mmCIF file of all heavy atoms in Angstrom:
data_model
loop_
_atom_site.group_PDB
_atom_site.id
_atom_site.type_symbol
_atom_site.label_atom_id
_atom_site.label_comp_id
_atom_site.label_asym_id
_atom_site.label_seq_id
_atom_site.Cartn_x
_atom_site.Cartn_y
_atom_site.Cartn_z
ATOM 1 N N ASN U 1 105.960 126.591 109.414
ATOM 2 C CA ASN U 1 105.090 125.573 109.991
ATOM 3 C C ASN U 1 103.868 125.302 109.120
ATOM 4 O O ASN U 1 103.368 126.199 108.438
ATOM 5 C CB ASN U 1 104.601 126.002 111.374
ATOM 6 C CG ASN U 1 105.715 125.999 112.403
ATOM 7 O OD1 ASN U 1 106.638 125.196 112.335
ATOM 8 N ND2 ASN U 1 105.636 126.916 113.348
ATOM 9 N N TYR U 2 103.401 124.068 109.190
ATOM 10 C CA TYR U 2 102.156 123.666 108.542
ATOM 11 C C TYR U 2 101.206 123.141 109.611
ATOM 12 O O TYR U 2 101.630 122.433 110.528
ATOM 13 C CB TYR U 2 102.408 122.549 107.522
ATOM 14 C CG TYR U 2 102.948 123.028 106.201
ATOM 15 C CD1 TYR U 2 104.255 123.476 106.080
ATOM 16 C CD2 TYR U 2 102.143 123.025 105.067
ATOM 17 C CE1 TYR U 2 104.753 123.905 104.871
ATOM 18 C CE2 TYR U 2 102.625 123.458 103.844
ATOM 19 C CZ TYR U 2 103.933 123.893 103.752
ATOM 20 O OH TYR U 2 104.419 124.324 102.553
ATOM 21 N N ILE U 3 99.939 123.461 109.485
ATOM 22 C CA ILE U 3 98.909 122.867 110.325
ATOM 23 C C ILE U 3 97.913 122.171 109.411
ATOM 24 O O ILE U 3 97.295 122.817 108.553
ATOM 25 C CB ILE U 3 98.196 123.919 111.192
ATOM 26 C CG1 ILE U 3 99.182 124.536 112.198
ATOM 27 C CG2 ILE U 3 97.020 123.288 111.941
ATOM 28 C CD1 ILE U 3 98.560 125.558 113.117
ATOM 29 N N ASP U 4 97.815 120.868 109.567
ATOM 30 C CA ASP U 4 96.939 120.060 108.703
ATOM 31 C C ASP U 4 97.221 120.312 107.229
ATOM 32 O O ASP U 4 96.313 120.421 106.398
ATOM 33 C CB ASP U 4 95.464 120.344 109.015
ATOM 34 C CG ASP U 4 95.066 119.882 110.404
ATOM 35 O OD1 ASP U 4 95.770 119.017 110.964
ATOM 36 O OD2 ASP U 4 94.066 120.393 110.937
ATOM 37 N N GLY U 5 98.502 120.423 106.886
ATOM 38 C CA GLY U 5 98.904 120.548 105.491
ATOM 39 C C GLY U 5 98.859 121.949 104.922
ATOM 40 O O GLY U 5 99.173 122.137 103.741
ATOM 41 N N LYS U 6 98.488 122.939 105.729
ATOM 42 C CA LYS U 6 98.418 124.321 105.242
ATOM 43 C C LYS U 6 99.437 125.188 105.967
ATOM 44 O O LYS U 6 99.648 125.037 107.178
ATOM 45 C CB LYS U 6 97.018 124.897 105.457
ATOM 46 C CG LYS U 6 95.933 124.209 104.645
ATOM 47 C CD LYS U 6 94.581 124.867 104.894
ATOM 48 C CE LYS U 6 93.480 124.209 104.074
ATOM 49 N NZ LYS U 6 92.160 124.860 104.320
ATOM 50 N N GLU U 7 100.052 126.113 105.219
ATOM 51 C CA GLU U 7 101.018 127.022 105.837
ATOM 52 C C GLU U 7 100.345 127.835 106.936
ATOM 53 O O GLU U 7 99.225 128.307 106.770
ATOM 54 C CB GLU U 7 101.591 127.989 104.788
ATOM 55 C CG GLU U 7 102.306 127.311 103.636
ATOM 56 C CD GLU U 7 101.389 127.088 102.458
ATOM 57 O OE1 GLU U 7 100.160 127.007 102.660
ATOM 58 O OE2 GLU U 7 101.896 127.002 101.325
ATOM 59 N N GLU U 8 101.049 127.992 108.046
ATOM 60 C CA GLU U 8 100.496 128.737 109.180
ATOM 61 C C GLU U 8 101.638 129.415 109.936
ATOM 62 O O GLU U 8 102.612 128.782 110.329
ATOM 63 C CB GLU U 8 99.742 127.810 110.126
ATOM 64 C CG GLU U 8 98.934 128.531 111.192
ATOM 65 C CD GLU U 8 97.702 129.238 110.639
ATOM 66 O OE1 GLU U 8 97.121 128.728 109.658
ATOM 67 O OE2 GLU U 8 97.307 130.287 111.193
ATOM 68 N N GLY U 9 101.490 130.720 110.137
ATOM 69 C CA GLY U 9 102.483 131.461 110.885
ATOM 70 C C GLY U 9 103.593 132.001 110.002
ATOM 71 O O GLY U 9 103.479 132.056 108.774
ATOM 72 N N PRO U 10 104.704 132.393 110.626
ATOM 73 C CA PRO U 10 105.800 133.007 109.865
ATOM 74 C C PRO U 10 106.572 132.006 109.019
ATOM 75 O O PRO U 10 106.817 130.876 109.443
ATOM 76 C CB PRO U 10 106.697 133.598 110.961
ATOM 77 C CG PRO U 10 106.405 132.773 112.168
ATOM 78 C CD PRO U 10 104.958 132.387 112.078
ATOM 79 N N PHE U 11 106.935 132.423 107.803
ATOM 80 C CA PHE U 11 107.827 131.673 106.922
ATOM 81 C C PHE U 11 109.012 132.572 106.591
ATOM 82 O O PHE U 11 108.842 133.760 106.318
ATOM 83 C CB PHE U 11 107.122 131.266 105.626
ATOM 84 C CG PHE U 11 106.390 129.959 105.729
ATOM 85 C CD1 PHE U 11 105.189 129.868 106.414
ATOM 86 C CD2 PHE U 11 106.903 128.816 105.140
ATOM 87 C CE1 PHE U 11 104.507 128.668 106.516
ATOM 88 C CE2 PHE U 11 106.229 127.602 105.232
ATOM 89 C CZ PHE U 11 105.020 127.526 105.923
ATOM 90 N N VAL U 12 110.187 131.988 106.634
ATOM 91 C CA VAL U 12 111.403 132.756 106.368
ATOM 92 C C VAL U 12 112.288 131.990 105.389
ATOM 93 O O VAL U 12 112.457 130.773 105.517
ATOM 94 C CB VAL U 12 112.201 133.027 107.664
ATOM 95 C CG1 VAL U 12 113.404 133.926 107.376
ATOM 96 C CG2 VAL U 12 111.311 133.657 108.721
ATOM 97 N N SER U 13 112.834 132.694 104.397
ATOM 98 C CA SER U 13 113.809 132.102 103.482
ATOM 99 C C SER U 13 115.160 132.783 103.704
ATOM 100 O O SER U 13 115.220 133.937 104.134
ATOM 101 C CB SER U 13 113.361 132.258 102.029
ATOM 102 O OG SER U 13 113.217 133.627 101.683
ATOM 103 N N TYR U 14 116.249 132.042 103.404
ATOM 104 C CA TYR U 14 117.592 132.529 103.707
ATOM 105 C C TYR U 14 118.519 132.391 102.503
ATOM 106 O O TYR U 14 118.377 131.478 101.681
ATOM 107 C CB TYR U 14 118.202 131.726 104.863
ATOM 108 C CG TYR U 14 117.415 131.778 106.138
ATOM 109 C CD1 TYR U 14 116.456 130.809 106.419
ATOM 110 C CD2 TYR U 14 117.615 132.782 107.079
ATOM 111 C CE1 TYR U 14 115.718 130.830 107.602
ATOM 112 C CE2 TYR U 14 116.890 132.822 108.263
ATOM 113 C CZ TYR U 14 115.942 131.843 108.512
ATOM 114 O OH TYR U 14 115.209 131.883 109.679
ATOM 115 N N TYR U 15 119.484 133.279 102.427
ATOM 116 C CA TYR U 15 120.607 133.094 101.522
ATOM 117 C C TYR U 15 121.530 132.033 102.122
ATOM 118 O O TYR U 15 121.466 131.711 103.310
ATOM 119 C CB TYR U 15 121.378 134.402 101.348
ATOM 120 C CG TYR U 15 120.656 135.445 100.537
ATOM 121 C CD1 TYR U 15 119.963 136.489 101.166
ATOM 122 C CD2 TYR U 15 120.677 135.409 99.147
ATOM 123 C CE1 TYR U 15 119.307 137.456 100.419
ATOM 124 C CE2 TYR U 15 120.017 136.378 98.396
ATOM 125 C CZ TYR U 15 119.333 137.395 99.030
ATOM 126 O OH TYR U 15 118.681 138.347 98.291
ATOM 127 N N GLU U 16 122.407 131.520 101.296
ATOM 128 C CA GLU U 16 123.327 130.493 101.776
ATOM 129 C C GLU U 16 124.246 131.037 102.867
ATOM 130 O O GLU U 16 124.768 130.291 103.690
ATOM 131 C CB GLU U 16 124.148 129.953 100.607
ATOM 132 C CG GLU U 16 124.793 128.613 100.870
ATOM 133 C CD GLU U 16 125.271 127.939 99.605
ATOM 134 O OE1 GLU U 16 124.961 128.435 98.504
ATOM 135 O OE2 GLU U 16 125.957 126.905 99.723
ATOM 136 N N SER U 17 124.421 132.343 102.881
ATOM 137 C CA SER U 17 125.244 132.983 103.900
ATOM 138 C C SER U 17 124.563 133.025 105.257
ATOM 139 O O SER U 17 125.194 133.338 106.269
ATOM 140 C CB SER U 17 125.573 134.418 103.479
ATOM 141 O OG SER U 17 124.380 135.191 103.405
ATOM 142 N N GLY U 18 123.263 132.722 105.275
ATOM 143 C CA GLY U 18 122.494 132.793 106.508
ATOM 144 C C GLY U 18 121.690 134.073 106.636
ATOM 145 O O GLY U 18 120.846 134.198 107.534
ATOM 146 N N LYS U 19 121.923 135.015 105.732
ATOM 147 C CA LYS U 19 121.162 136.263 105.748
ATOM 148 C C LYS U 19 119.727 136.000 105.281
ATOM 149 O O LYS U 19 119.488 135.154 104.405
ATOM 150 C CB LYS U 19 121.820 137.296 104.829
ATOM 151 C CG LYS U 19 123.242 137.666 105.210
ATOM 152 C CD LYS U 19 123.289 138.480 106.458
ATOM 153 C CE LYS U 19 124.708 138.950 106.762
ATOM 154 N NZ LYS U 19 125.240 139.872 105.743
ATOM 155 N N VAL U 20 118.778 136.731 105.847
ATOM 156 C CA VAL U 20 117.369 136.552 105.483
ATOM 157 C C VAL U 20 117.124 137.040 104.058
ATOM 158 O O VAL U 20 117.527 138.149 103.688
ATOM 159 C CB VAL U 20 116.449 137.313 106.466
ATOM 160 C CG1 VAL U 20 115.006 137.263 105.992
ATOM 161 C CG2 VAL U 20 116.567 136.713 107.861
ATOM 162 N N LYS U 21 116.438 136.218 103.252
ATOM 163 C CA LYS U 21 116.101 136.560 101.871
ATOM 164 C C LYS U 21 114.672 137.065 101.757
ATOM 165 O O LYS U 21 114.390 138.001 101.006
ATOM 166 C CB LYS U 21 116.281 135.340 100.974
ATOM 167 C CG LYS U 21 115.930 135.582 99.520
ATOM 168 C CD LYS U 21 116.034 134.310 98.683
ATOM 169 C CE LYS U 21 117.467 133.986 98.390
ATOM 170 N NZ LYS U 21 117.566 132.860 97.410
ATOM 171 N N GLY U 22 113.759 136.471 102.504
ATOM 172 C CA GLY U 22 112.363 136.886 102.444
ATOM 173 C C GLY U 22 111.621 136.415 103.681
ATOM 174 O O GLY U 22 111.992 135.403 104.290
ATOM 175 N N GLU U 23 110.587 137.137 104.074
ATOM 176 C CA GLU U 23 109.805 136.739 105.237
ATOM 177 C C GLU U 23 108.370 137.228 105.095
ATOM 178 O O GLU U 23 108.102 138.286 104.531
ATOM 179 C CB GLU U 23 110.434 137.282 106.521
ATOM 180 C CG GLU U 23 110.640 138.785 106.539
ATOM 181 C CD GLU U 23 111.426 139.233 107.765
ATOM 182 O OE1 GLU U 23 111.651 138.401 108.666
ATOM 183 O OE2 GLU U 23 111.801 140.414 107.814
ATOM 184 N N GLY U 24 107.456 136.398 105.587
ATOM 185 C CA GLY U 24 106.054 136.742 105.534
ATOM 186 C C GLY U 24 105.258 135.828 106.442
ATOM 187 O O GLY U 24 105.796 134.888 107.040
ATOM 188 N N HIS U 25 103.968 136.068 106.523
ATOM 189 C CA HIS U 25 103.105 135.347 107.468
ATOM 190 C C HIS U 25 101.938 134.717 106.703
ATOM 191 O O HIS U 25 101.404 135.307 105.760
ATOM 192 C CB HIS U 25 102.574 136.331 108.512
ATOM 193 C CG HIS U 25 101.959 135.678 109.698
ATOM 194 N ND1 HIS U 25 102.682 135.324 110.825
ATOM 195 C CD2 HIS U 25 100.676 135.285 109.947
ATOM 196 C CE1 HIS U 25 101.877 134.764 111.702
ATOM 197 N NE2 HIS U 25 100.664 134.725 111.197
ATOM 198 N N TYR U 26 101.564 133.512 107.131
ATOM 199 C CA TYR U 26 100.456 132.785 106.520
ATOM 200 C C TYR U 26 99.373 132.483 107.546
ATOM 201 O O TYR U 26 99.668 132.216 108.719
ATOM 202 C CB TYR U 26 100.945 131.470 105.912
ATOM 203 C CG TYR U 26 101.682 131.636 104.612
ATOM 204 C CD1 TYR U 26 102.989 132.100 104.591
ATOM 205 C CD2 TYR U 26 101.074 131.347 103.400
ATOM 206 C CE1 TYR U 26 103.673 132.270 103.397
ATOM 207 C CE2 TYR U 26 101.742 131.508 102.197
ATOM 208 C CZ TYR U 26 103.037 131.975 102.207
ATOM 209 O OH TYR U 26 103.705 132.141 101.024
ATOM 210 N N VAL U 27 98.135 132.512 107.093
ATOM 211 C CA VAL U 27 96.998 132.115 107.908
ATOM 212 C C VAL U 27 96.141 131.160 107.081
ATOM 213 O O VAL U 27 95.666 131.526 105.996
ATOM 214 C CB VAL U 27 96.144 133.326 108.350
ATOM 215 C CG1 VAL U 27 94.898 132.859 109.095
ATOM 216 C CG2 VAL U 27 96.970 134.270 109.234
ATOM 217 N N ASP U 28 96.002 129.929 107.557
ATOM 218 C CA ASP U 28 95.188 128.928 106.867
ATOM 219 C C ASP U 28 95.624 128.753 105.412
ATOM 220 O O ASP U 28 94.815 128.642 104.507
ATOM 221 C CB ASP U 28 93.705 129.313 106.943
ATOM 222 C CG ASP U 28 92.784 128.151 106.619
ATOM 223 O OD1 ASP U 28 93.170 126.994 106.870
ATOM 224 O OD2 ASP U 28 91.671 128.411 106.111
ATOM 225 N N GLY U 29 96.938 128.742 105.193
ATOM 226 C CA GLY U 29 97.475 128.486 103.868
ATOM 227 C C GLY U 29 97.532 129.675 102.936
ATOM 228 O O GLY U 29 97.914 129.530 101.772
ATOM 229 N N LYS U 30 97.169 130.866 103.432
ATOM 230 C CA LYS U 30 97.160 132.055 102.574
ATOM 231 C C LYS U 30 98.038 133.157 103.162
ATOM 232 O O LYS U 30 98.119 133.304 104.388
ATOM 233 C CB LYS U 30 95.730 132.583 102.417
ATOM 234 C CG LYS U 30 94.788 131.608 101.733
ATOM 235 C CD LYS U 30 93.385 132.186 101.647
ATOM 236 C CE LYS U 30 92.415 131.224 100.980
ATOM 237 N NZ LYS U 30 91.044 131.772 100.910
ATOM 238 N N GLU U 31 98.674 133.914 102.266
ATOM 239 C CA GLU U 31 99.492 135.029 102.730
ATOM 240 C C GLU U 31 98.618 136.036 103.470
ATOM 241 O O GLU U 31 97.499 136.331 103.041
ATOM 242 C CB GLU U 31 100.173 135.747 101.563
ATOM 243 C CG GLU U 31 101.085 134.876 100.722
ATOM 244 C CD GLU U 31 100.386 134.324 99.509
ATOM 245 O OE1 GLU U 31 99.144 134.144 99.559
ATOM 246 O OE2 GLU U 31 101.061 134.063 98.507
ATOM 247 N N GLU U 32 99.156 136.556 104.558
ATOM 248 C CA GLU U 32 98.402 137.524 105.357
ATOM 249 C C GLU U 32 99.385 138.524 105.977
ATOM 250 O O GLU U 32 100.317 138.149 106.678
ATOM 251 C CB GLU U 32 97.616 136.824 106.460
ATOM 252 C CG GLU U 32 96.601 137.708 107.153
ATOM 253 C CD GLU U 32 95.427 138.088 106.258
ATOM 254 O OE1 GLU U 32 94.956 137.220 105.491
ATOM 255 O OE2 GLU U 32 94.978 139.252 106.328
ATOM 256 N N GLY U 33 99.160 139.786 105.694
ATOM 257 C CA GLY U 33 100.018 140.821 106.257
ATOM 258 C C GLY U 33 101.193 141.161 105.360
ATOM 259 O O GLY U 33 101.194 140.880 104.163
ATOM 260 N N SER U 34 102.212 141.755 105.958
ATOM 261 C CA SER U 34 103.355 142.266 105.206
ATOM 262 C C SER U 34 104.323 141.159 104.794
ATOM 263 O O SER U 34 104.610 140.252 105.576
ATOM 264 C CB SER U 34 104.109 143.299 106.037
ATOM 265 O OG SER U 34 103.294 144.425 106.299
ATOM 266 N N PHE U 35 104.819 141.248 103.558
ATOM 267 C CA PHE U 35 105.888 140.394 103.063
ATOM 268 C C PHE U 35 107.042 141.302 102.658
ATOM 269 O O PHE U 35 106.833 142.324 102.006
ATOM 270 C CB PHE U 35 105.427 139.576 101.854
ATOM 271 C CG PHE U 35 104.720 138.303 102.223
ATOM 272 C CD1 PHE U 35 103.478 138.341 102.858
ATOM 273 C CD2 PHE U 35 105.286 137.078 101.946
ATOM 274 C CE1 PHE U 35 102.817 137.174 103.205
ATOM 275 C CE2 PHE U 35 104.634 135.898 102.294
ATOM 276 C CZ PHE U 35 103.399 135.946 102.927
ATOM 277 N N VAL U 36 108.239 140.914 103.061
ATOM 278 C CA VAL U 36 109.417 141.723 102.760
ATOM 279 C C VAL U 36 110.513 140.817 102.206
ATOM 280 O O VAL U 36 110.718 139.707 102.693
ATOM 281 C CB VAL U 36 109.949 142.453 104.017
ATOM 282 C CG1 VAL U 36 111.093 143.382 103.636
ATOM 283 C CG2 VAL U 36 108.840 143.237 104.694
ATOM 284 N N PHE U 37 111.212 141.300 101.182
ATOM 285 C CA PHE U 37 112.299 140.559 100.552
ATOM 286 C C PHE U 37 113.558 141.411 100.577
ATOM 287 O O PHE U 37 113.489 142.628 100.459
ATOM 288 C CB PHE U 37 111.916 140.179 99.124
ATOM 289 C CG PHE U 37 110.593 139.477 99.062
ATOM 290 C CD1 PHE U 37 109.432 140.184 98.819
ATOM 291 C CD2 PHE U 37 110.505 138.124 99.285
ATOM 292 C CE1 PHE U 37 108.200 139.549 98.801
ATOM 293 C CE2 PHE U 37 109.277 137.478 99.277
ATOM 294 C CZ PHE U 37 108.128 138.190 99.031
ATOM 295 N N TYR U 38 114.717 140.750 100.721
ATOM 296 C CA TYR U 38 115.961 141.462 100.965
ATOM 297 C C TYR U 38 117.057 141.056 99.990
ATOM 298 O O TYR U 38 117.101 139.918 99.504
ATOM 299 C CB TYR U 38 116.463 141.166 102.385
ATOM 300 C CG TYR U 38 115.483 141.492 103.474
ATOM 301 C CD1 TYR U 38 114.593 140.523 103.942
ATOM 302 C CD2 TYR U 38 115.436 142.750 104.058
ATOM 303 C CE1 TYR U 38 113.684 140.803 104.950
ATOM 304 C CE2 TYR U 38 114.526 143.047 105.073
ATOM 305 C CZ TYR U 38 113.657 142.068 105.507
ATOM 306 O OH TYR U 38 112.747 142.353 106.502
ATOM 307 N N TYR U 39 117.953 141.983 99.729
ATOM 308 C CA TYR U 39 119.225 141.644 99.110
ATOM 309 C C TYR U 39 120.092 140.982 100.177
ATOM 310 O O TYR U 39 119.849 141.125 101.381
ATOM 311 C CB TYR U 39 119.925 142.897 98.584
ATOM 312 C CG TYR U 39 119.258 143.526 97.386
ATOM 313 C CD1 TYR U 39 118.408 144.621 97.545
ATOM 314 C CD2 TYR U 39 119.490 143.038 96.109
ATOM 315 C CE1 TYR U 39 117.795 145.207 96.442
ATOM 316 C CE2 TYR U 39 118.875 143.624 94.996
ATOM 317 C CZ TYR U 39 118.036 144.702 95.179
ATOM 318 O OH TYR U 39 117.429 145.281 94.090
ATOM 319 N N GLU U 40 121.119 140.296 99.742
ATOM 320 C CA GLU U 40 121.976 139.627 100.716
ATOM 321 C C GLU U 40 122.677 140.633 101.625
ATOM 322 O O GLU U 40 123.084 140.313 102.737
ATOM 323 C CB GLU U 40 123.002 138.751 99.998
ATOM 324 C CG GLU U 40 123.685 137.755 100.902
ATOM 325 C CD GLU U 40 124.418 136.666 100.146
ATOM 326 O OE1 GLU U 40 124.450 136.727 98.895
ATOM 327 O OE2 GLU U 40 124.964 135.759 100.793
ATOM 328 N N SER U 41 122.785 141.861 101.166
ATOM 329 C CA SER U 41 123.390 142.919 101.970
ATOM 330 C C SER U 41 122.507 143.333 103.141
ATOM 331 O O SER U 41 122.956 144.034 104.051
ATOM 332 C CB SER U 41 123.659 144.144 101.097
ATOM 333 O OG SER U 41 122.432 144.686 100.613
ATOM 334 N N GLY U 42 121.243 142.908 103.095
ATOM 335 C CA GLY U 42 120.286 143.301 104.120
ATOM 336 C C GLY U 42 119.378 144.428 103.689
ATOM 337 O O GLY U 42 118.378 144.727 104.354
ATOM 338 N N LYS U 43 119.690 145.043 102.551
ATOM 339 C CA LYS U 43 118.837 146.113 102.029
ATOM 340 C C LYS U 43 117.534 145.510 101.504
ATOM 341 O O LYS U 43 117.513 144.403 100.956
ATOM 342 C CB LYS U 43 119.551 146.855 100.894
ATOM 343 C CG LYS U 43 120.858 147.525 101.306
ATOM 344 C CD LYS U 43 120.617 148.732 102.145
ATOM 345 C CE LYS U 43 121.907 149.474 102.433
ATOM 346 N NZ LYS U 43 122.526 150.050 101.225
ATOM 347 N N VAL U 44 116.445 146.249 101.640
ATOM 348 C CA VAL U 44 115.140 145.755 101.204
ATOM 349 C C VAL U 44 115.067 145.711 99.687
ATOM 350 O O VAL U 44 115.377 146.695 99.007
ATOM 351 C CB VAL U 44 114.009 146.641 101.767
ATOM 352 C CG1 VAL U 44 112.655 146.217 101.189
ATOM 353 C CG2 VAL U 44 113.979 146.565 103.287
ATOM 354 N N LYS U 45 114.639 144.570 99.138
ATOM 355 C CA LYS U 45 114.471 144.397 97.690
ATOM 356 C C LYS U 45 113.050 144.710 97.262
ATOM 357 O O LYS U 45 112.813 145.271 96.193
ATOM 358 C CB LYS U 45 114.820 142.966 97.289
ATOM 359 C CG LYS U 45 114.607 142.664 95.822
ATOM 360 C CD LYS U 45 114.938 141.208 95.487
ATOM 361 C CE LYS U 45 116.421 140.987 95.457
ATOM 362 N NZ LYS U 45 116.767 139.618 94.974
ATOM 363 N N GLY U 46 112.071 144.353 98.100
ATOM 364 C CA GLY U 46 110.682 144.605 97.762
ATOM 365 C C GLY U 46 109.788 144.373 98.958
ATOM 366 O O GLY U 46 110.149 143.641 99.880
#
């Protein structure tokens, strides 16, 4: 989601298979809190 053109709340990216690739949270357009990235297998990449 964007609020007034700035990222706000959770952002999620996906592999083409539908598996989650990365997820994190934004506040007023800036990263805030934990960010996690995954292999397509579901194992944590970083």
Side-chain angles (χ1 to χ4, degrees):
N1 290 328
Y2 280 73
I3 295 181
D4 294 339
K6 295 181 179 180
E7 300 94 335
E8 190 71 32
F11 273 75
V12 185
S13 60
Y14 301 92
Y15 288 99
E16 199 164 352
S17 64
K19 300 289 185 65
V20 173
K21 179 184 283 188
E23 55 187 351
H25 194 89
Y26 284 76
V27 175
D28 197 29
K30 297 178 181 179
E31 301 95 332
E32 192 69 40
S34 296
F35 275 67
V36 185
F37 308 94
Y38 304 92
Y39 290 98
E40 195 165 4
S41 64
K43 299 287 186 65
V44 174
K45 177 181 285 187

